[in-house]
Amino acid sequence: MSLFATKSMDLLVTEAQESGEHSLKRTLGPFQLTALGVGAIIGAGIFVLSGLGAHYAGPGLMLSFVVSGLGCTFAGLCYAEFAAMIPLAGSAYTYAYATLGELLAWIIGWDLTLEYAMGASTVSSGWSNHFIELLNIFHIKMPLWLAYDHWTALKTAQGIVARQMAQAADPNLVPGTQAFMDKVGEILGAHSPNLVDRANDLLSAPSIFGVQFGFNLPAFLIALCITAILVIGIKESARFNTTIVVVKVSVVLFVIAMGIRFINAANWGHDWSSFAPYGFSGIGAGAAYIFFAYIGFDAVSTTAQESRNPQRDLPIGIITSLVVCTLLYILVACVLTGMVPWREINIEAPIARAFLDRGLATASHVITIGALAGLTSVMLVMLLGQTRVLYAMANDGLLPRKFFADIHPKFRTPWKNTILVGTLAGVVGSVTPIEDIGKMVNIGTLLAFVIVCTAVMVLRKTNPAQARPFRTPWVPLVPILGICFNGYMMYKLGWLNWARLIGWLIIGLVVYFSYGRHHSRLALAAAQPQPEPRPTVTRS
């Protein structure tokens, strides 16, 4: 069988209509799907990455969110067409299988692991950080070695000591500003024996066979809790997610309403050079780094087989969640850059610090709770998306079907698959420093978006007569714009992330050629001998 053999649309439509105890349970409507999209998108990204983006884009951070939002919107319109036409759980993997062939489908399915599983691991670690902040509000302290993996705990201890040393060296420095961070970086770079000794004393980590040990307990426990909710059922998961979404959207609206009172329009600049100090290049770099704040809307398409009316409801969920979140993000960026001169925006906790500097400690605590709620729902949707992609790949024979596609008889969820993914995400988030993996999540997601935009144009050519309940408007303009915007953000992430992506895909190809290629249902069907046609008998 050719490596680029595609699944026929008739077969995909048949699979989408399957029902019974071995299929997923259809319970989701448009509101739940939109809530899943918002749940996946609004996380700590808006509360944290906006500070980093501002130091690239200046007040033009508002346009950075527009650029990221447009890239996602163009891709989202393409996702909506596929999701309505092929309502199966595999999302971009399934769409690639229908248009670009099995090999590219495998590559995109493997690539989605970067977005979902590794993204969930990254988010579990971020959730832990905000949980520790919440405990600090109540003056509860966790040992560093139980709050972080060993390398991050040691780095955190060194950071705490370096901050103390920076404050002692210059009491006029304001914590969180660029000048303060530069001083801290200078102290860390010197790596003095005094710094190392004080950091090790602060860490006080236990040793196993002479090696210091660290374990991020909050990250591991939240991953297990989310996994348990996902195993119990999609309806229960959606209900839990909707509750969390109401909390975090309320917090974002609170930030906007409170922050408007403290806006100084002069902070936005008086011309283009002061509005965008590094020009459009800076706005593009800001868009690439804050893109993580948008990741996840595509996970809505992985719930296609659990939607009551996927042809209508999936496009609604995808597009509505994107529009709502983009508007909220632009308003938050407007408030942040209006409250604080862009050079003084705190990099670590930009929004919380902006309120603290005005004596609004309670507002800062509310923001911490919002970030915690945001990360909880992001984890849920990312783990949900990963398990559904693996379920689709296993149904096609590319992964062991008895494990990854096994449906629980009562809960009607892929329970074995879910437990494995959730546990692995918890372990990775607990013992591994994952800053670099977090950057890989961005480039992996952008690659998926580029492939889906390409696939829409391919299918319009190869199967123009196929029924399309939702049609991407202005094809090929919209897909081409999606490829350009998302490709540009991939370029702005730099060569190191490209090298990591290529390495990850090479590992995936090894797995495909050693297992998936030989167990593919498409390949096995092609290898079956076809019955010879019976001879025609002519009567005289």
Side-chain angles (χ1 to χ4, degrees), residues 229-378:
I229 293 169
L230 288 172
V231 168
I232 290 173
I234 185 63
K235 187 175 183 179
E236 292 74 15
S237 301
R239 187 180 295 131
F240 175 78
N241 174 72
T242 301
T243 303
I244 296 294
V245 165
V246 169
V247 172
K248 67 181 182 180
V249 170
S250 300
V251 170
V252 172
L253 293 174
F254 168 80
V255 166
I256 295 168
M258 288 287 291
I260 286 175
R261 298 161 49 196
F262 299 96
I263 287 178
N264 177 3
N267 291 332
W268 292 331
H270 55 276
D271 56 19
W272 174 254
S273 60
S274 54
F275 177 75
Y278 300 113
F280 192 79
S281 177
I283 290 172
Y289 283 99
I290 63 172
F291 179 76
F292 191 86
Y294 277 100
I295 285 177
F297 78 86
D298 52 311
V300 174
S301 62
T302 68
T303 62
Q305 284 176 265
E306 291 153 292
S307 171
R308 290 196 298 267
N309 186 356
Q311 284 82 6
R312 184 199 68 179
D313 296 345
L314 285 171
I316 292 174
I318 291 171
I319 296 169
T320 304
S321 60
L322 262 177
V323 171
V324 168
C325 293
T326 299
L327 289 174
L328 291 176
Y329 281 1
I330 293 171
L331 289 173
V332 169
C334 177
V335 167
L336 175 63
T337 54
M339 289 178 69
V340 186
W342 70 270
R343 296 181 193 277
E344 300 174 16
I345 290 176
N346 188 290
I347 293 176
E348 298 172 308
I351 298 174
R353 175 56 62 179
F355 282 88
L356 276 175
D357 288 345
R358 284 153 182 76
L360 303 172
T362 302
S364 174
H365 297 161
V366 170
I367 292 168
T368 298
I369 294 172
L372 197 64
L375 286 167
T376 303
S377 63
V378 170

Side-chain angles (χ1 to χ4, degrees), residues 110-111 113-114 118 289 433-445 447 490 492-509:
W110 185 258
D111 170 70
T113 304
L114 281 181
M118 294 300 100
Y289 283 99
I434 50 177
E435 291 90 347
D436 291 337
I437 296 178
K439 294 173 186 175
M440 288 174 67
V441 173
N442 278 13
I443 197 165
T445 306
L447 175 62
M490 288 180 76
K492 297 300 288 186
L493 284 172
W495 70 269
L496 188 58
N497 286 304
W498 278 88
R500 293 188 183 112
L501 174 64
I502 292 169
W504 176 255
L505 294 180
I506 289 172
I507 295 171
L509 290 175

Side-chain angles (χ1 to χ4, degrees), residues 30-107:
F31 178 77
Q32 291 95 333
L33 291 169
T34 301
L36 283 172
V38 175
I41 298 170
I42 298 181
I46 184 61
F47 298 108
V48 178
L49 293 177
S50 52
L52 178 62
H55 283 265
Y56 284 96
L61 177 67
M62 290 176 269
L63 292 184
S64 292
F65 277 109
V66 172
V67 171
S68 284
L70 282 173
C72 291
T73 299
F74 293 138
L77 289 169
C78 297
Y79 267 94
E81 175 169 319
F82 273 121
M85 184 170 53
I86 312 173
L88 288 168
S91 183
Y93 156 78
T94 301
Y95 312 153
Y97 215 155
T99 55
L100 305 175
E102 183 174 283
L103 179 60
L104 287 173
W106 168 268
I107 288 173

Side-chain angles (χ1 to χ4, degrees), residues 66 203 323 426-427 538-539:
V66 172
L203 183 59
V323 171
V427 170
T538 304
R539 295 179 181 270

